C-alpha cells in the first residue's frame, strides 16, 4: 500500500466562502485542516473506514493556527499536512498553508485522539501497523499550544444552548461551531479592524445537543482568553492573539 508521508490539497477561495472582509475566515481554515487531515488519514489506511470497524475514530484535541495573512476572493491556496509523531492514543499532525505562488502564509499544529465511541474514552491504536503512521521531519516553526490559565472573575459572560445544526456525526458539537460561537462574541466593527494572528483551541470535555454553556471572555491588549464552561467544568479553552487588519 502506498502511504504518502506528505499530503497536499489545492483550493481556490470563492466569494461564497469568504468573510465580510473578502478574506478566508478562520472557521474555513479550521474546516480545511480537518478535511485535509481526514484525506491524508484515509490515504494512509487509518481514516474513518478503517477505525470504525473497531468502533473508534479520530477526535481533535488541540488546535493551534498562526497566519501571516489570509487568502482573498479568487486566490488559490493549498494545505500540506504530515504526521510529526504518534503513540498508542494520539497523533500530532502539522500543516503548512501556501498561497498560489507557493509562499507560506501560515502553519498549524493539531493533536488528534482516538476515541472509543462506545465508552466515550480514549481508545488504543496498537492494533494498527506502525507503517500506517509515517512521520516526516519537516519544519513547523510555530510553538505548541500553551496552557490556558483560568479566566478572572470579571470576565465577560454570556450563555448559549447547543442546537441541531451544532452537532456532527459523532453526535457531539462540531469543532467549527465552537469557534463560531467564540468569534461571534465580537461585533463586526472589531473584525473589520482586526484579524486573528494566532488561535489556540483546547478541548477538555465534549458538548452535546441541548446542553447550555457559558462563554467567558477576558481581553488584555491584543490577547483574548476564552472559555466555554459546562457548570463548573471547562469544555473548551481558547487563546486568540489579534493583529491589525491591513
Amino acid at each position: 500500500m502506498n502511504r504518502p508521508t506528505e499530503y497536499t490539497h489545492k483550493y481556490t477561495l470563492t466569494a461564497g466562502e469568504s468573510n465580510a472582509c473578502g478574506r478566508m475566515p478562520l472557521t474555513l481554515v479550521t474546516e480545511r485542516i480537518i478535511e485535509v487531515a481526514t484525506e491524508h488519514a484515509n490515504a494512509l489506511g487509518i481514516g474513518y473506514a478503517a477505525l470504525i470497524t473497531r468502533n473508534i475514530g479520530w477526535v481533535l484535541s488541540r488546535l493551534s493556527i498562526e497566519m501571516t495573512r489570509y487568502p482573498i476572493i479568487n486566490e488559490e491556496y493549498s494545505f500540506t499536512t504530515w504526521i510529526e509523531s504518534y503513540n498508542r492514543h494520539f497523533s500530532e499532525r502539522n500543516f503548512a498553508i501556501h498561497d498560489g505562488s507557493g509562499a507560506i502564509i501560515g502553519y498549524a499544529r493539531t493533536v488528534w485522539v482516538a476515541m472509543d465511541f462506545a465508552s466515550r474514552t480514549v481508545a488504543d491504536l496498537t492494533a494498527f501497523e506502525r507503517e500506517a503512521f509515517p512521520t516526516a521531519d519537516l519544519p513547523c516553526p510555530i510553538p505548541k499550544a500553551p496552557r490556558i490559565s483560568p479566566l478572572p472573575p470579571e470576565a465577560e459572560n454570556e450563555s448559549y444552548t447547543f442546537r441541531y445544526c451544532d452537532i456532527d456525526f459523532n453526535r457531539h458539537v462540531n469543532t467549527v461551531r465552537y469557534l463560531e460561537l467564540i468569534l461571534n462574541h465580537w461585533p463586526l466593527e472589531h473584525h473589520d479592524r482586526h484579524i486573528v494572528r494566532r488561535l489556540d483551541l483546547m478541548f477538555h470535555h465534549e458538548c452535546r445537543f441541548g446542553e447550555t454553556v457559558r462563554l467567558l471572555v477576558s481581553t488584555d491588549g491584543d490577547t483574548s482568553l476564552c472559555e466555554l464552561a459546562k457548570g463548573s467544568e471547562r469544555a473548551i479553552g481558547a487563546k486568540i492573539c489579534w493583529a491589525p487588519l491591513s
Side-chain angles (χ1 to χ4, degrees):
M1 178 181 181
N2 179 29
R3 292 190 167 105
T5 303
E6 302 171 52
Y7 181 88
T8 298
H9 191 141
K10 296 181 179 179
Y11 301 91
T12 301
L13 184 70
T14 67
E17 295 172 326
S18 71
N19 62 18
C21 297
R23 290 172 167 81
M24 185 178 188
L26 184 61
T27 49
L28 183 57
V29 175
T30 303
E31 286 185 30
R32 295 297 187 232
I33 286 171
I34 296 171
E35 180 178 83
V36 175
T38 300
E39 292 175 353
H40 190 206
N42 288 338
L44 295 173
I46 52 172
Y48 175 81
L51 269 64
I52 199 61
T53 61
R54 302 176 188 273
N55 202 31
I56 62 178
W58 293 111
V59 175
L60 188 59
S61 176
R62 292 191 178 189
L63 169 65
S64 296
I65 301 170
E66 276 196 21
M67 301 291 292
T68 55
R69 73 173 186 88
Y70 293 81
I72 60 174
I73 295 174
N74 292 330
E75 183 177 1
E76 294 181 348
Y77 65 94
S78 65
F79 278 67
T80 296
T81 187
W82 64 95
I83 297 173
E84 179 177 277
S85 67
Y86 79 98
N87 61 31
R88 60 185 292 188
H89 296 306
F90 66 85
S91 174
E92 293 182 293
R93 175 182 286 279
N94 299 334
F95 298 79
I97 304 151
H98 297 79
D99 63 17
S101 69
I104 292 177
I105 58 174
Y107 286 99
R109 288 183 175 273
T110 60
V111 178
W112 299 81
V113 173
M115 174 183 280
D116 185 311
F117 291 138
S119 65
R120 311 302 289 187
T121 59
V122 177
D124 192 327
L125 294 168
T126 53
F128 291 89
E129 300 176 15
R130 182 180 181 86
E131 290 74 16
F133 295 85
T135 58
D137 185 19
L138 297 174
C140 186
I142 68 172
K144 294 186 178 183
R147 181 180 178 274
I148 298 176
S149 304
L151 273 67
E154 65 272 18
E156 297 178 69
N157 191 327
E158 58 192 82
S159 63
Y160 180 81
T161 301
F162 291 112
R163 300 170 175 85
Y164 170 73
C165 289
D166 298 318
I167 310 301
D168 63 17
F169 79 100
N170 285 324
R171 314 242 347 149
H172 61 196
V173 176
N174 180 278
T175 298
V176 175
R177 298 298 188 188
Y178 289 125
L179 185 54
E180 288 175 343
L181 176 55
I182 292 170
L183 293 176
N184 280 338
H185 171 79
W186 288 272
L188 179 60
E189 293 76 16
H190 177 86
H191 292 287
D192 283 340
R193 299 191 303 267
H194 300 87
I195 63 168
V196 175
R197 180 68 71 204
R198 175 165 174 125
L199 168 73
D200 292 293
L201 200 59
M202 300 184 188
F203 303 84
H204 299 278
H205 296 281
E206 60 183 345
C207 296
R208 302 197 178 206
F209 174 83
E211 292 185 330
T212 298
V213 293
R214 290 178 298 114
L215 171 61
L216 307 175
V217 179
S218 177
T219 299
D220 183 8
D222 61 0
T223 301
S224 296
L225 299 181
C226 311
E227 177 179 301
L228 290 174
K230 295 194 302 179
S232 61
E233 71 178 14
R234 173 183 281 183
I236 303 294
K239 180 179 180 181
I240 298 174
C241 295
W242 304 95
L245 178 61
S246 57

